[in-house]
């Protein structure tokens, strides 16, 4: 409680001291993971504050050594927590590993730490924070290399957060003249983003690109199914149903065939 009180007051130095005392006195306590995580955060926060002070006052080199050591201590704690998948703090720890690397001016390592967070999961607030940190890093260090696979995952973070325009910007950077799976998948997701916004005509146009540009790709089946649904939702119910019937005839073994039959039956029942 003392440590938490200091942390809430923004006194990270004293908070860290009391978290350390707690961990030394109670190594098997059920709150050990929480205390370790908070200790690492205190090290990062206090170091960040000291770094900012140094920039404003040109503090001596000893302060630089002090902050470096704290970032290293934080990194050691966070790496252990992130590696323990049974810990409630493993995912947050993985994110703050990036912050520790940033504090150590290891920007490529920080970037990869954030990318790893997003690779594991794109649909939570931690992924959103990781993407924000990545964008800030790229603005600071434009030489950082972003792969198409990483860019696609950035798009998924935006999509899952309901930021559909931003997701299209990311997916658009993935699509290339290379007619590969990644381009097909990104084009399909652009269609999905329009579908989520109820812009069905635009969604249909993207789904048709998947069908026309990437024949034989696994996403063609999904694109055809969603095209039919887009027509139905765009007040072209009969056309949509006809496309669903054609879909079932052409892809009877598809997992989506049963869905299509159910959709048709449900619509006819409602007439």
């Amino acid at each position: 409680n003392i440590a938490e009180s200091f942390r809430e007051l923004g006194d990270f130095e004293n908070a860290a001291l009391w978290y350390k005392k707690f961990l030394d006195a109670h190594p098997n306590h059920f709150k050990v993971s929480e205390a370790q995580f908070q200790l690492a955060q205190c090290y990062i926060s206090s170091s960040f504050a000291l770094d900012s002070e140094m920039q404003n006052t040109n503090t001596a080199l000893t302060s630089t050594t002090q902050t470096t050591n704290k970032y290293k201590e934080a990194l050691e704690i966070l790496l252990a927590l992130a590696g323990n998948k049974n810990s409630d703090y493993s995912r947050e720890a993985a994110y703050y590993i990036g912050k520790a690397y940033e504090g150590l001016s290891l920007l490529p390592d920080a970037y990869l730490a954030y990318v790893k967070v997003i690779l594991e999961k794109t649909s939570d607030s931690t992924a959103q924070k990781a993407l924000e940190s990545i964008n800030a890093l790229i603005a600071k260090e434009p030489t950082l290399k972003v792969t198409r696979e990483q860019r696609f995952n950035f798009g998924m973070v935006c999509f899952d957060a309901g930021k559909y325009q931003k997701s299209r910007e990311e997916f658009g950077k993935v699509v290339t003249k290379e007619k590969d799976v990644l381009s097909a998948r990104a084009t399909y997701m652009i269609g999905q983003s329009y579908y989520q916004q109820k812009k069905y005509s635009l969604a249909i146009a993207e789904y048709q690109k998947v069908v026309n540009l990437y024949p034989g790709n696994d996403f063609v089946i999904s694109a055809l199914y969603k095209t039919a649904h887009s027509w139905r939702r765009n007040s072209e119910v009969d056309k949509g149903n006809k496309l669903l019937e054609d879909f079932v005839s052409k892809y009877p073994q598809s997992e989506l065939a049963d869905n299509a039959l159910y959709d048709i039956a449900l619509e006819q029942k409602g007439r």
Side-chain angles (χ1 to χ4, degrees):
N1 288 337
I2 296 175
E4 291 175 4
S5 296
F6 277 122
R7 180 172 58 83
E8 289 172 2
L9 290 170
D11 187 345
F12 301 113
E13 290 282 353
N14 277 313
L17 178 65
W18 282 96
Y19 280 124
K20 190 75 167 61
K21 286 182 178 181
F22 171 82
L23 289 167
D24 290 341
H26 307 284
N28 298 314
H29 197 276
F30 73 95
K31 283 197 169 184
V32 162
S33 291
E34 179 182 349
Q36 289 173 329
F37 178 68
Q38 296 297 348
L39 175 60
Q41 277 197 310
C42 286
Y43 282 153
I44 290 173
S45 296
S46 62
S47 298
F48 179 79
L50 191 55
D51 282 342
S52 298
E53 181 183 331
M54 287 164 54
Q55 289 175 4
N56 294 329
T57 61
N58 295 319
T59 310
L61 183 61
T62 52
S63 296
T64 304
T65 303
Q66 184 181 354
T67 59
T68 297
N69 288 338
K70 284 185 178 179
Y71 282 127
K72 286 181 177 178
E73 287 185 68
L75 184 59
E76 183 178 351
I77 294 169
L78 294 167
L79 286 169
L81 281 173
N84 179 10
K85 297 306 178 183
N86 293 322
S87 169
D88 292 336
Y89 295 89
S90 62
R91 184 153 173 79
E92 278 291 300
Y95 168 75
Y96 278 98
I97 285 171
K99 289 298 180 187
Y101 278 133
E102 282 196 66
L104 293 168
S105 297
L106 300 173
L107 300 190
D109 292 301
Y111 172 77
L112 291 176
Y114 296 135
V115 165
K116 185 176 180 181
V117 169
I118 290 173
L119 183 61
E120 289 180 352
K121 189 176 184 180
T122 61
S123 59
D124 64 359
S125 59
T126 305
Q128 292 175 42
K129 288 194 300 183
L131 183 56
E132 289 171 3
S133 294
I134 283 172
N135 288 333
L137 275 181
I138 291 173
K140 186 189 303 183
E141 189 60 54
T143 59
L144 288 170
K145 300 296 183 183
V146 182
T147 68
R148 291 173 66 221
E149 290 81 1
Q150 291 166 357
R151 185 71 71 183
F152 179 86
N153 288 329
F154 299 168
M156 287 304 304
V157 174
C158 298
F159 182 90
D160 289 338
K163 299 175 181 178
Y164 299 118
Q165 174 62 41
K166 185 62 180 175
S167 76
R168 286 194 289 272
E169 292 174 14
E170 297 290 358
F171 292 138
K173 295 174 184 177
V174 176
V175 178
T176 67
K177 293 180 180 179
E178 301 290 333
K179 291 187 170 56
D180 57 8
V181 173
L182 204 53
S183 288
R185 189 180 182 192
T187 304
Y188 176 76
M189 289 308 304
I190 291 173
Q192 289 288 79
S193 73
Y194 282 127
Y195 186 91
Q196 290 297 320
Q197 291 183 304
K198 299 181 180 180
K199 297 179 178 180
Y200 300 117
S201 295
L202 293 173
I204 289 169
E206 295 300 324
Y207 294 142
Q208 285 304 299
K209 287 181 185 177
V210 176
V211 175
N212 296 331
L213 297 177
Y214 312 102
N217 192 279
D218 289 344
F219 288 95
V220 167
I221 294 175
S222 295
L224 288 169
Y225 178 75
K226 292 306 293 275
T227 297
H229 267 284
S230 296
W231 281 113
R232 283 168 52 129
R233 291 183 178 274
N234 209 29
S235 302
E236 294 277 358
V237 177
D238 289 340
K239 182 169 185 174
N241 285 344
K242 178 62 168 62
L243 289 173
L244 286 175
E245 291 170 1
D246 293 343
F247 178 86
V248 172
S249 298
K250 191 170 184 179
Y251 303 102
Q253 304 303 317
S254 166
E255 293 180 359
L256 294 174
D258 288 341
N259 291 352
L261 288 171
Y262 178 82
D263 295 336
I264 295 169
L266 190 65
E267 193 278 329
Q268 290 177 343
K269 182 180 177 181
R271 288 187 174 184

